[in-house]
Amino acid sequence: VSQSRYGAVEIPISMYFYKEMESTGPTLEIGNVLKRYFPNLKHDVVDKYEIYENVKNEDIEFFKPKDRYKFILAVSTLEHVGFDGFENLDLGKLNRSIENITKNLLAPGGCFVATFPLKYNPSIDSLFFDTNFFNERYALQRGVFNFWKEVSLDKARNGLPKSKTAFVKHIVTGK
């Protein structure tokens, strides 16, 4: 992929998982990303701040729908939970939100997929590296001429300095 924007990698990878999982049951997207690119997709979206047609404006930490989802996807969204936005810094908010996702949102045997930049929010970095929450983990690094390549998790963790414009993207899946 030769585009410099992270979406050049995240959107195709997210759509791969979306297409793989959409027939398994109800789908939830955390953060309104995919419908911007593919407005005809049929899934629920929860996004606390974005006012958009058919988007549930609720906080993911407290969102409790009637039914659970077989597939939950978060595209470059979780790194913002409790870390930036319109609220005070709350580094515990991400963990409480993940707990809500696993206890109240994700159906038994369901799949959760998230994409996020490394070294932007220390809470999500810790969730990725220091827990078993994600049972499949992948890292991509943007290189020369904005080409992306897969790198080892060790290189992703130790390879780049902290930056608000991190050059490493993690594509992670957890089931």
Side-chain angles (χ1 to χ4, degrees), residues 8 79 87 141-142 162 171:
E79 70 270 19
E87 303 164 348
Q141 181 177 345
R142 187 171 65 182
K162 182 178 179 179
I171 311 306

Side-chain angles (χ1 to χ4, degrees), residues 36-83:
R36 291 170 170 245
Y37 296 90
F38 308 99
N40 295 324
L41 292 178
K42 305 290 185 217
H43 64 276
D44 291 343
V45 177
V46 63
D47 189 310
K48 184 175 180 180
Y49 300 110
E50 188 168 338
I51 307 300
Y52 200 84
E53 185 178 356
N54 297 318
V55 171
K56 296 169 175 42
N57 296 116
E58 296 187 44
D59 188 323
I60 193 62
E61 181 182 356
F62 305 108
F63 180 58
K64 292 191 174 46
K66 185 177 78 171
D67 297 313
R68 291 180 171 211
Y69 296 91
K70 289 297 279 185
F71 179 54
I72 299 176
L73 176 66
V75 183
S76 251
T77 300
L78 293 180
E79 70 270 19
H80 302 288
V81 174
F83 193 69

Side-chain angles (χ1 to χ4, degrees), residues 118-119 128-129 137-141 149-160 168-170:
L118 222 194
K119 300 185 180 179
F128 183 73
F129 286 114
R137 300 178 293 173
Y138 305 94
L140 298 177
Q141 181 177 345
K149 67 178 181 177
E150 187 171 0
V151 296
S152 71
L153 297 181
D154 185 58
K155 183 170 183 176
R157 183 176 207 160
N158 301 312
L160 293 174
V168 175
K169 287 302 287 192
H170 284 151

